[in-house]
Amino acid sequence: MSGARSVATCVRGVSVSPERFDRIAVFGGVYSNHVALEAVLADARRRDVDAVFCLGDLGAFGPNPDKIFPLLVEPGVRVMQGNYDDSISRGLADCQCGYTDPRDNYFAKISYDYTFDHTSDRWKGFLRSLPESIRIELGGYRVLMSHGSPRKMSEFLWESTAPTHFLDKMVASYDADVVLATHSGLHWKRELPSDRHFVNVGVIGRPANDGSTNVWYSLLDARRGFDVTFIPVDYDHESLALEMKHEGLPTEFIDTIRHGWWTTCLEILPSKERKKGRF
Amino acid sequence: MNARAELHALDDLWFQISGTICNLTCHHCFISCSPTNRSFDLIPLEDVLRTLETSRRLGVKEYYFTGGEPFIHPAMVEILEHTLELGPATVLTNGTLLKRLVIARLARAETASIYSLELRVSIDGYSPETNDAIRGKGTFARAMAGVRLLLEHGFLPIVTVAQTWEDDRAEEVFHGFVELLRGEGYERPRIKIIPTLRLGAEVERSRGYYASERITEDMLEDFDESQLICTHSRMVTNRGVYVCPILIDNPAARMGDDLDDALGAYPLDQSACYTCYVGGAVCSNVCAGGFRVS
C-alpha cells in the first residue's frame, strides 16, 4: 500500500494540501450530451460518492452545448479543462485532437464549428477559468487527474499502445500513485508495479464503440485498497438523437448515439481498438 | 547557428532490423536499400533483446521495425513475439515476403498480447503500372498478395504510400487506393500517405533538397517541437544508435553505441529535418491520406 506518502503537493509552484476523499465518481468527454450527463449524475448520487469530477471536453458532437454547464455547476461537479475546452475558450482554429486523416478532420471541423458557434461567451469564460489538472488524495493515494495525459492535454492513451513500463514511469515521474485521464473515449485501467495505477475514466458523451448505446463513467473507491469500477449508464439516447437531428448535426454523429458504433474520428485508433468497432 | 532539438521522452524506439538489405530496389528509397547494400546489417536477436530490456527502464511507448525489408531477418517473428510482451509493435514491410505460416504465427502472438501489432505495407501506386514503375516489376501483385494474407488473418494493415505524384492528383490517387482495397474486401481501409525524402535514390528520381530547405532557430519559435521525430524517437542499428529513422546514412547522425549514449539534444542541421518540420513526424503510425472516404 503506497498511501500517505505526501501531505502536500506543488501545484503551479504553490504548495497546497490536496483535498481528501474516499469514494469519487469521475468521467470525461461530455460532448454536449446533456441527457447522458443528467443520467450519470443521478446514478453517481445514488452510489453515495464524496465528489464528482469531470476531466474535460465538455463540447463536441452533441447539440446545444450551453445546456450542460448548469448541470455541472449547480451540483458542484469539479471540472477541469480538456483540449476542446481550451480551443473553444480561446477561439482556436480547431479542437487540437491532431487528426491527420481528411475524413476525421472533415467531421471534427463540423463538430468544432457548431460547438464554438453555440457556446455563449459566458460559458467560454467558464471554460477559460478551468484548471488543466487536479490533484487530490483518495484514501492514502495521491491522485493526479489529467485530460489526455499529465504531459500533454491532447495525448491519446489507448490500452493497446500504452506499455506498463511507460505508464509506471509516467505515474512515478509526476509524484503520483494514480493517474487518471480521458480524451481517447474508451475506458480502461492498468494496475502498475508498487501499487500504482492508471485509469482512463472513459467518456459520457458517446458510447464506447461497442454496439451498445449506454455510456460509461468510473467509480473510484479507496476505502479498502484501490478499487475501480466502470459503471454503464443507460439514458434516453433517442431524445438526444432527435435533438441532434433538429440541430442539423451530421447523420454520422447521430448514428453513433443510436447504434453505439463510432463512425468518425476512427483513423487515430490502434488496430486492436479499431477491430472491436464496426467501422 | 543551427537549432537544436532536445529528446523530450523516448516514446518511439526504432530498429533498423534488417539493415539496408532489401529484396527490392525501389527508385525512391531514401537510404538506397537493395539486395546488395550492406551499409547496415541485420541486428542479431540477442542485441535486440538487450535493447528491449533497456527500453523498459527508459519508458519507451512504441516499437517500430524497419529496414530494408524486416522479414528478411530470420528471427523477425521471434523478435515481434518478444516485443509484444512489452508493448505495441509496428513493422514497415514491402509485403512481398509474407508467408501464410509467418502471418498465422504473428496473428497468434497479437491475439495473446494486450498490445497492438501494426503491419504497414508499402505500395506506391494503386495499379501494377504505377507501383511497379517505382518498386520493381511484379511487386504490386506480390504486395497485394501480402495484404490479402493479412486480411485473412484478421489484421488491418496500414497501406503506406510515398507521394510520388503532384499535389493536384492527391484526391484521385487516394480514392484509387480506397477502391483497390475495398475490391479486396477491406471495407475500412487504412491508408497512410507520406512525403518522399529527398535523399538516397530519390535524389535521382526527383531532386535533392534545396539549400533553403533547412530549419533555423527562428522557425522553432512557437513551433510544437513534438512534431519533430527526434524529440521523441531514436533509431537502433547494428552500428550504433542514430537520431532518427531517416538520417542513418549520415555519420553525423550517429549518437552513440547504445541507447543510453543517445539521449542528448540533436542539431537540426540536415535538410531532411525540413521534411519533418513541414510534414510532422510522418514516420509514426497515425493514418493520413488525401480525401474523404465516403
Side-chain angles (χ1 to χ4, degrees):
Chain A
M1 165 76 186
S2 59
R5 284 180 193 162
S6 76
V7 290
T9 299
C10 192
V11 179
R12 287 179 175 169
V14 181
S15 188
V16 294
S17 294
E19 282 188 272
R20 297 191 66 138
F21 303 93
D22 288 323
R23 181 176 163 85
I24 59 172
V26 192
F27 56 81
V30 182
Y31 303 153
S32 302
N33 189 339
H34 57 92
V35 190
L37 174 60
E38 279 195 276
V40 164
L41 292 176
D43 190 278
R45 266 195 302 275
R46 282 196 295 276
R47 293 175 194 274
D48 197 25
V49 295
D50 303 334
V52 180
F53 293 84
C54 171
L55 304 191
D57 278 2
L58 306 189
F61 300 119
N64 300 310
D66 271 3
K67 285 189 179 180
I68 60 157
F69 294 102
L71 299 175
L72 290 167
V73 171
E74 283 166 20
V77 176
R78 292 144 201 264
V79 186
M80 50 171 274
Q81 196 179 60
N83 55 291
Y84 224 91
D85 314 313
D86 179 44
S87 289
I88 294 283
S89 71
R90 292 198 289 142
L92 301 186
D94 61 41
C95 60
Q96 306 179 76
C97 283
Y99 301 126
T100 54
D101 177 76
R103 185 178 182 277
D104 286 351
N105 275 322
Y106 171 82
F107 284 108
K109 180 169 171 49
I110 291 174
S111 165
Y112 182 75
D113 290 350
Y114 172 85
T115 306
F116 185 83
D117 290 345
H118 291 79
T119 304
S120 65
D121 287 346
R122 176 190 173 197
W123 294 119
K124 282 176 183 165
F126 171 78
L127 292 174
R128 205 158 36 241
S129 73
L130 296 174
E132 291 178 21
S133 64
I134 297 174
R135 281 187 188 265
I136 64 162
E137 288 204 10
L138 187 69
Y141 293 82
R142 300 168 301 170
V143 177
L144 172 59
M145 302 185 193
S146 63
H147 179 73
S149 77
R151 65 181 184 172
K152 192 169 186 183
M153 193 185 271
S154 58
E155 180 166 17
F156 289 93
L157 290 178
W158 307 102
E159 185 172 19
S160 85
T161 54
T164 298
H165 60 252
F166 163 80
L167 293 169
D168 195 43
K169 187 177 169 73
M170 180 182 75
V171 176
S173 68
Y174 281 88
D175 293 323
D177 305 311
V178 179
V179 164
L180 309 182
T182 176
H183 187 55
S184 72
L186 298 176
H187 56 278
W188 61 279
K189 61 182 175 177
R190 184 87 49 83
E191 195 170 331
L192 307 169
S194 310
D195 200 20
R196 294 192 185 105
H197 303 264
F198 174 84
V199 185
N200 189 313
V201 301
V203 298
I204 63 164
R206 65 172 180 167
N209 198 22
D210 57 2
S212 301
T213 55
N214 63 270
V215 296
W216 297 81
Y217 77 97
S218 298
L219 193 65
L220 275 57
D221 191 323
R223 289 176 297 192
R224 287 181 294 278
F226 183 79
D227 186 56
V228 182
T229 310
F230 295 121
I231 312 281
V233 176
D234 290 314
Y235 70 102
D236 186 358
H237 60 275
E238 189 56 31
S239 76
L240 186 86
L242 290 173
E243 190 179 334
M244 291 169 77
K245 194 173 175 188
H246 183 261
E247 286 298 299
L249 289 163
T251 308
E252 284 82 354
F253 297 173
I254 299 168
D255 285 348
T256 296
I257 295 299
R258 280 195 166 132
H259 305 299
W261 300 112
W262 293 1
T263 55
T264 63
C265 305
L266 284 162
E267 296 302 336
I268 202 93
L269 290 173
S271 62
K272 262 193 198 289
E273 283 80 359
R274 184 78 183 262
K275 278 190 255 185
K276 289 175 184 165
R278 175 175 287 173
F279 300 107
Chain B
M1 185 181 156
N2 285 309
R4 292 176 72 81
E6 300 283 347
L7 181 70
H8 299 167
L10 185 54
D11 281 356
D12 303 340
L13 183 58
W14 288 75
F15 291 89
Q16 190 74 25
I17 198 71
S18 61
T20 40
I21 306 162
C22 188
N23 58 318
L24 306 183
T25 311
C26 301
H27 293 335
H28 62 356
C29 184
F30 62 93
I31 45 174
S32 309
C33 295
S34 75
T36 56
N37 184 349
R38 293 201 168 252
S39 304
F40 291 86
D41 218 322
L42 310 184
I43 307 178
L45 172 63
E46 55 271 26
D47 290 356
V48 176
L49 296 181
R50 196 168 52 245
T51 305
L52 287 175
E53 192 52 40
T54 304
S55 78
R56 293 163 64 114
R57 171 169 50 80
L58 296 174
V60 166
K61 192 177 176 192
E62 298 195 47
Y63 300 90
Y64 290 84
F65 298 89
T66 187
E69 167 49 44
F71 286 103
I72 279 179
H73 199 303
M76 194 62 229
V77 175
E78 196 176 344
I79 288 167
L80 289 172
E81 287 170 339
H82 282 290
T83 305
L84 285 169
E85 290 173 8
L86 282 188
T90 296
V91 190
L92 281 60
T93 173
N94 62 38
T96 63
L97 299 179
L98 300 178
K99 300 288 187 288
R100 188 172 293 279
L101 284 176
V102 165
I103 300 303
R105 193 170 149 191
L106 287 179
R108 285 195 295 276
E110 204 259 0
T111 302
S113 173
I114 60 171
Y115 301 116
S116 279
L117 170 61
E118 305 285 6
L119 286 128
R120 275 169 43 180
V121 181
S122 296
I123 301 177
D124 289 330
Y126 58 85
S127 64
E129 294 73 30
T130 48
N131 175 81
D132 293 2
I134 295 163
R135 304 187 70 81
K137 193 163 186 273
T139 56
F140 179 83
R142 292 165 65 197
M144 286 303 296
V147 168
R148 262 175 237 121
L149 265 183
L150 290 168
L151 292 171
E152 280 174 29
H153 287 82
F155 286 101
L156 300 177
I158 300 172
V159 172
T160 307
V161 189
Q163 186 182 337
T164 53
W165 56 86
E166 296 301 318
D167 286 345
D168 60 3
R169 290 190 56 224
E171 186 167 0
E172 170 216 325
V173 174
F174 187 71
H175 282 294
F177 271 99
V178 170
E179 291 310 310
L180 168 73
L181 294 167
R182 284 193 174 156
E184 297 292 344
Y186 195 2
E187 284 303 318
R188 42 185 176 179
R190 301 166 86 200
I191 300 165
K192 180 180 170 67
I193 295 176
I194 56 174
T196 56
L197 293 149
R198 301 186 182 284
L199 302 169
E202 174 67 0
V203 175
E204 290 295 311
R205 197 195 67 83
S206 60
R207 67 167 175 87
Y209 286 97
Y210 298 130
S212 59
E213 292 176 323
R214 296 217 169 225
I215 301 178
T216 63
E217 276 195 346
D218 296 350
M219 291 163 68
L220 291 183
E221 200 176 320
D222 295 328
F223 177 74
D224 176 8
E225 284 191 22
S226 68
Q227 293 293 306
L228 301 172
I229 193 168
C230 55
T231 62
H232 51 82
S233 309
R234 288 295 181 260
M235 166 59 97
V236 176
T237 76
N238 75 309
R239 287 170 33 203
V241 180
Y242 285 69
V243 66
C244 80
I246 309 306
L247 293 175
I248 62 168
D249 259 351
N250 188 329
R254 186 180 186 280
M255 299 194 75
D257 292 334
D258 58 39
L259 275 181
D260 283 311
D261 303 330
L263 305 177
Y266 183 75
L268 298 166
D269 55 359
Q270 302 300 315
S271 288
C273 302
Y274 185 80
T275 296
C276 206
Y277 178 88
V278 172
V282 293
C283 306
S284 45
N285 271 343
V286 176
C287 295
F291 288 88
R292 275 189 69 180
V293 185
S294 53

